[in-house]
Amino acid sequence: MSQTKSRFKRVNVNKAALLLCSPVLAASLAVHAEEARDNETYRFTPIIVNAQANAVDDDANDIVAEELWVGGKVATSVLDTPASVSVITEKEIEQRNVSTTEELLEYTPGVITDFYGTDDRNDYFQIRGFQATTYRDGLTLGSMRGVREDAYAYERVEVLRGANSTLFGPADPGGSVNFVSKRPKFEKFGSGYVTYGSFDHKEVGLDLGDSLNEDATLAYRFTAKIEDSDREYDHSKNDNEFVMGGLTWEPTDFTSATLILDYLNRDSSPNSGGYPLDREYDRDEFFGESAFNYHEVERTSVTGQFTHDFDNGLLFRANMRYSDLTDDFGYIYLYDFAGRTGTDLSRFYFGTDGEAEEFISNAILQYDAEFTYFDSSTLAGLEYRDASSEDQSFYGDAAPINIANPLYSGAPGSLSYYSRNDRDYKTKSAFLQQNFSFNDKFIVTGGVRNDRLDLSSTDITGFKSSDDFSETSVRGALTYKWNQEVSTYISMVESVAPPSIGVTPERGKQYEIGMKYAPINTNALFSVSVYDLEKDDVTIAVVQENGIIERETIGESEVQGVDFEAKIDLTEQFSLTGGYSYMETEVVKGTLRSGTSIKGKEFTAAPKHMASVWGHYTLPNRYASFGLGVRYTGSYYFDTANTAKSESATIVDGSFTYHFYQGTDFTLFVRNLFDDQHVVGSGTADYYNPGREITATLNHKW
């Protein structure tokens, strides 16, 4: 292993304190260490960070992350980040037997997941009352965001609560989720597993890598997973294939280049069809159409990452990704209503055939300098995105079904297409971030970004439309470090939501104060934040004086709340993660499509209270370990008019692991231990939360 690689692993995070200059991270750190080469001593100022910061955290063996990676854009200390953040490490992903994004986020404060139950087309989650924007390795997923990501592809997931457009571009104000891909390591490692469980769930996975030469300048990683399973309702399937390969080249201690190629293939059923509204039904019942319930996804991505440290305070980073996607689905669903009599229910078919192609890249320069009374970190970057998509959607009447004696009538004889679109999006962005650190106590952060967006679309009639936007967002933050353990911050961050042709982009602004505590000699992090978040320029229906309803950009929404999180490795045997969120949402100005005012109403799927705790204990002899988790979700409204509401719910998860011998484990995991059943979404039909699922996994590591 090279001298620099060894040095990265020895650096104490308290010495390598990082600082955020990003909007989503809140500050940017740089890499400049004065190096006395003769005696191998290294000096780090409060805003100086190692170029290979991701070598400090050990995600495979730790649930407490000390750094945010943000996919190669910036690497910053969690303690000094003036924003509310959560990091789910590889160890926590494994402890909780996570396979979907919804499962990844269900123990994260401020995040509600799975509020559409057995609608399995996408991963559904919101942060602070708004739809979250998703990234992979710091680059927006854009038109790929509807794909259900596979947790086995990632070594960590970073959740950033609040607006963040200043560094990452157009996004809703609630927050973002950044998936960090597994990368090659300059050491030999490997793991493999087999799983069997509920709903005839069969799964195998493999993850291995090593250096490819004696000089340890070239390393590889290979990751693969195959899943063959049904879902909890009849006439369903959930078959997935994922393959990823990566190469990293580090010819010197200051230069690194990584290439990652991955392929995802999903063949599954998208929907149970929903359940009638009159009473509670068994989850395994199916009221859709067995011959017309398909979801086929195929995606190929190529990712490149490059870093060069000039060893004089200047650091250059470049990232790119190309993706190609096909996404086709179709299903039939129930149409029920309150007060319905009889057992014959109407049904409708719905689906979309889609293709998307996307290229996104950035180039970032970071410069750090030390002065007598302060230190400076400056980050400047350019980003380019070119995305195109084609989709056609169909909708129409389907044969009714008798819910007392379901008989399936087959797929629709013909499909009625109501929408066809060919869209192109181009974005050119420039951003600048600046940090100043004074007396090892105060950190001042500022940032500005401009996004120039060119949009064009052709619809089903052949009508072509286009639009262009130039949107600027800013952020500012002040962090005060009381000591090496405690930091406090106050921040203001703006956001610009992804725009549509002919509509003024929706803008958000968040004010937040927070505190973080990382006790010395204890592997733990506690954080609390209080925020006020608003979204303006929301397009709503307005009744004009002549009685005509027209869309106007005057809507406004507001969220106020508190988020608390604790991640603790109490001992080598016991780890604990817990969180609590309180959230007040309000439509300040808004209407339904009919023009009816909804002023003063709460958001949909936005509970006031959410809480969770997950603990994992290993016996002193290390032959066995236990995990237990509890998730509480308060009641929330199903519709914007606030006419129907869910019940509050508490779900318990559990696990037991027996360690046969070094490197080999057997794990039994139970999700929703007591098989609680409740309605999580309701409209023309009810949708239930996932039921009890038991899986048994044999895993071997080397």
Side-chain angles (χ1 to χ4, degrees):
M1 181 177 293
S2 69
Q3 174 186 357
T4 302
K5 293 187 182 70
S6 301
R7 167 164 61 96
F8 292 157
K9 293 189 175 181
R10 295 197 302 267
V11 174
N12 185 290
V13 163
N14 289 329
K15 295 179 181 178
L18 312 177
L19 175 46
L20 262 211
C21 174
S22 79
V24 15
L25 306 187
S28 148
L29 281 298
V31 66
H32 176 226
E34 278 193 16
E35 181 175 337
R37 296 184 183 276
D38 294 336
N39 55 15
E40 288 193 0
T41 60
Y42 310 98
R43 175 179 180 271
F44 293 88
T45 71
I47 66 166
I48 301 304
V49 49
N50 204 303
Q52 298 288 337
N54 58 2
V56 175
D57 278 343
D58 185 4
D59 285 345
N61 299 295
D62 201 347
I63 70 163
V64 183
E66 296 172 321
E67 295 176 342
L68 292 172
W69 301 354
V70 195
K73 276 197 171 179
V74 288
T76 61
S77 164
V78 173
L79 184 63
D80 295 338
T81 297
S84 180
V85 302
S86 298
V87 178
I88 301 105
T89 66
E90 187 175 357
K91 180 179 180 179
E92 185 176 349
I93 291 173
E94 183 177 312
Q95 279 185 358
R96 296 199 280 109
N97 195 41
V98 167
S99 60
T100 69
T101 302
E102 290 171 321
E103 294 170 357
L104 265 170
L105 301 176
E106 60 194 5
Y107 282 88
T108 303
V111 181
I112 181 173
T113 69
D114 208 8
F115 43 84
Y116 283 123
T118 48
D119 184 337
D120 295 309
R121 290 171 295 160
N122 304 305
D123 288 312
Y124 298 101
F125 52 92
Q126 292 184 166
I127 302 177
R128 291 183 173 176
F130 295 99
Q131 184 178 358
T133 302
T134 53
Y135 302 87
R136 180 177 175 185
D137 299 322
L139 300 173
T140 178
L141 285 170
S143 56
M144 309 290 156
R145 65 185 298 175
V147 177
R148 303 196 82 170
E149 297 295 327
D150 196 313
Y152 197 57
Y154 306 117
E155 57 188 65
R156 67 157 53 187
V157 176
E158 301 170 334
V159 180
L160 306 137
R161 287 176 283 272
N164 56 56
S165 288
T166 311
L167 186 63
F168 287 89
D172 278 318
S176 301
V177 176
N178 180 52
F179 303 97
V180 180
S181 300
K182 290 179 176 177
R183 291 162 47 100
K185 300 177 182 180
F186 287 88
E187 58 185 21
K188 187 175 183 178
F189 70 94
S191 67
Y193 72 90
V194 293
T195 294
Y196 184 78
S198 301
F199 320 123
D200 198 25
H201 180 156
K202 300 178 289 290
E203 183 179 326
V204 296
L206 180 68
D207 183 26
L208 55 85
D210 196 1
S211 294
L212 287 171
N213 56 8
E214 294 182 358
D215 296 333
T217 60
L218 188 65
Y220 81 94
R221 186 167 191 165
F222 176 79
T223 306
K225 168 185 169 180
I226 300 175
E227 179 181 358
D228 182 347
S229 176
D230 298 331
R231 299 193 185 276
E232 58 186 344
Y233 51 88
D234 292 338
H235 308 289
S236 64
K237 61 179 175 179
N238 184 27
D239 301 340
N240 305 295
E241 299 171 0
F242 176 78
V243 180
M244 179 168 69
L247 286 174
T248 293
W249 179 50
E250 292 188 1
T252 71
D253 293 340
F254 304 99
T255 302
S256 175
T258 297
L259 180 67
I260 299 173
L261 174 65
D262 64 272
Y263 172 77
L264 176 68
N265 183 34
R266 294 191 181 276
D267 183 9
S268 62
S269 52
N271 203 295
S272 68
Y275 300 88
L277 303 174
D278 56 344
R279 62 174 177 85
E280 186 176 278
Y281 288 76
D282 291 337
R283 285 190 178 92
D284 61 0
E285 295 189 69
F286 179 69
F287 300 105
E289 187 56 54
S290 57
F292 192 75
N293 198 37
Y294 65 91
H295 190 189
E296 299 169 354
V297 173
E298 191 172 11
R299 185 182 69 183
T300 303
S301 296
V302 181
T303 302
Q305 300 171 331
F306 177 80
T307 300
H308 180 69
D309 181 2
F310 291 91
D311 199 27
N312 60 0
L314 185 65
L315 178 71
F316 174 74
R317 296 186 183 95
N319 305 278
M320 62 75 63
R321 185 180 66 242
Y322 170 79
S323 297
D324 182 83
L325 168 74
T326 59
D327 186 354
D328 305 331
F329 73 86
Y331 63 92
I332 288 176
Y333 65 92
L334 287 178
Y335 183 86
D336 199 3
F337 55 90
R340 179 258 308 162
T341 59
T343 58
D344 288 331
L345 265 66
S346 299
R347 297 189 302 173
F348 293 87
Y349 67 79
F350 173 68
T352 297
D353 301 329
E355 297 181 0
E357 189 175 12
E358 183 174 72
F359 174 79
I360 183 170
S361 64
N362 61 36
I364 302 170
L365 278 174
Q366 199 169 331
Y367 181 70
D368 296 293
E370 303 174 24
F371 300 94
T372 304
Y373 299 106
F374 68 93
D375 298 321
S376 170
S377 179
T378 305
L379 180 148
L382 300 173
E383 190 163 283
Y384 175 76
R385 175 175 173 246
D386 187 351
S388 61
S389 64
E390 297 180 11
D391 63 77
Q392 51 182 2
S393 298
F394 47 83
Y395 168 82
D397 293 326
I401 193 169
N402 188 315
I403 59 175
N405 182 29
L407 296 176
Y408 305 112
S409 54
S414 61
L415 300 176
S416 176
Y417 287 87
Y418 70 93
S419 171
R420 185 176 293 111
N421 297 282
D422 185 351
R423 300 184 178 93
D424 289 291
Y425 307 87
K426 289 184 174 62
T427 306
K428 300 174 183 177
S429 309
F431 49 89
L432 176 67
Q433 309 291 325
Q434 178 63 54
N435 276 1
F436 291 107
S437 175
F438 300 91
N439 299 322
D440 295 347
K441 291 289 185 181
F442 293 95
I443 302 168
V444 179
T445 299
V448 61
R449 173 172 175 137
N450 178 261
D451 293 283
R452 300 187 64 88
L453 303 100
D454 294 313
L455 285 64
S456 64
S457 178
T458 302
D459 64 17
I460 193 169
T461 67
F463 178 76
K464 297 181 179 180
S465 57
S466 62
D467 210 342
D468 60 87
F469 304 89
S470 179
E471 297 294 328
T472 300
S473 57
V474 299
R475 81 167 321 274
L478 174 65
T479 301
Y480 179 70
K481 299 184 66 175
W482 296 86
N483 50 47
Q484 290 298 309
E485 296 179 304
V486 180
S487 67
T488 57
Y489 66 90
I490 182 171
S491 69
M492 186 284 296
V493 191
E494 292 184 336
S495 68
V496 180
S500 300
I501 294 174
V503 178
T504 301
E506 299 172 344
R507 298 188 64 93
K509 181 180 291 186
Q510 176 182 276
Y511 297 93
E512 181 175 287
I513 59 174
M515 176 178 289
K516 299 178 183 180
Y517 173 50
I520 294 177
N521 300 323
T522 301
N523 191 18
L525 179 66
F526 303 87
S527 62
V528 62
S529 60
V530 181
Y531 63 90
D532 187 316
L533 172 61
E534 62 181 37
K535 185 176 183 180
D536 301 323
D537 298 329
V538 179
T539 302
I540 64 175
V542 179
V543 181
Q544 308 299 316
E545 292 183 358
N546 59 5
I548 296 176
I549 297 176
E550 294 182 355
R551 308 291 291 177
E552 295 184 9
T553 311
I554 60 173
E556 182 180 341
S557 302
E558 185 175 22
V559 185
Q560 296 176 329
V562 178
D563 291 320
F564 169 79
E565 184 176 49
K567 284 184 178 286
I568 317 165
D569 272 331
L570 294 175
T571 67
E572 291 185 2
Q573 284 79 42
F574 185 48
S575 63
L576 185 73
T577 179
Y580 168 75
S581 295
Y582 176 78
M583 182 169 59
E584 289 273 5
T585 65
E586 181 185 5
V587 177
V588 179
K589 187 183 296 184
T591 62
L592 301 175
R593 292 183 181 274
S594 64
T596 303
S597 174
I598 54 173
K599 179 180 179 181
K601 302 296 186 181
E602 296 182 24
F603 295 4
T604 60
K608 288 187 177 181
H609 300 277
M610 289 185 291
S612 64
V613 60
W614 169 267
H616 194 269
Y617 178 70
T618 301
L619 295 177
N621 58 21
R622 297 186 179 275
Y623 287 142
S625 58
F626 304 87
L628 185 66
V630 181
R631 298 176 271 131
Y632 171 80
T633 303
S635 61
Y636 55 85
Y637 287 104
F638 294 135
D639 60 341
T640 54
N642 290 182
T643 62
K645 201 172 188 179
S646 74
E647 298 178 352
S648 60
T650 301
I651 304 296
V652 178
D653 305 316
S655 71
F656 168 76
T657 299
Y658 180 74
H659 307 277
F660 287 101
Y661 52 89
Q662 186 175 5
T664 303
D665 304 325
F666 172 80
T667 299
L668 188 69
F669 193 94
V670 185
R671 193 174 303 280
N672 192 357
L673 180 64
F674 300 110
D675 200 24
D676 172 85
Q677 181 169 329
H678 60 276
V679 178
V680 294
S682 184
T684 62
D686 283 342
Y687 289 87
Y688 304 137
N689 66 303
R692 179 168 50 223
E693 182 176 3
I694 303 172
T695 55
T697 299
L698 183 65
N699 182 76
H700 179 67
K701 295 183 179 180
W702 62 89

